[in-house]
Amino acid sequence: MTATAVVTTFLFSAVYYAVTGSYYFVDSHVPIAVFLGMHLLFTDPSTSPRSELGRIFYGVLYGLSTVLLYDLLLSANTPGFYDKLLQVPLLNLSVKL
């Protein structure tokens, strides 16, 4: 899950960097706080998917939702550091699907 989340976020940021010439996040493709969130916040065994396909899909959704929330939070003039937190309860609730 963590690897797919990191790869998804990195790929989005790399494409954004290639198009615009600047990082999507403030200072890097995957900031350290986002990276730590990908390791610690959504890897709880009791609320993570059991199948390998589910884990891949879960990681991709986390990575894409981090990018989406970062943009939404900044455009709403709110702190962008909640981008790695807000999607975790929703993703955990969607594990059964």
Side-chain angles (χ1 to χ4, degrees):
M1 291 184 323
T2 301
T4 56
V6 170
V7 168
T8 301
T9 306
F10 177 80
L11 287 176
F12 178 85
S13 183
V15 169
Y16 184 86
Y17 185 80
V19 171
T20 64
S22 65
Y23 291 115
Y24 182 75
F25 295 102
V26 176
D27 57 353
S28 64
H29 289 297
V30 181
I32 190 65
V34 172
F35 187 73
L36 288 173
M38 291 175 180
H39 281 284
L40 302 173
L41 290 175
F42 79 111
T43 56
D44 179 28
S46 63
T47 57
S48 60
R50 303 279 188 252
S51 70
E52 199 59 38
L53 181 62
R55 289 176 182 270
I56 291 170
F57 191 63
Y58 193 78
V60 169
L61 282 177
Y62 184 84
L64 290 176
S65 62
T66 300
V67 169
L68 177 69
L69 281 171
Y70 183 75
D71 189 44
L72 287 174
L73 290 170
L74 291 182
S75 65
N77 292 326
T78 57
F81 54 80
Y82 293 117
D83 62 341
K84 59 202 136 309
L85 300 171
L86 294 175
Q87 72 271 34
V88 173
L90 296 174
L91 288 172
N92 286 346
L93 289 172
S94 70
V95 166
K96 293 291 183 186
L97 296 175

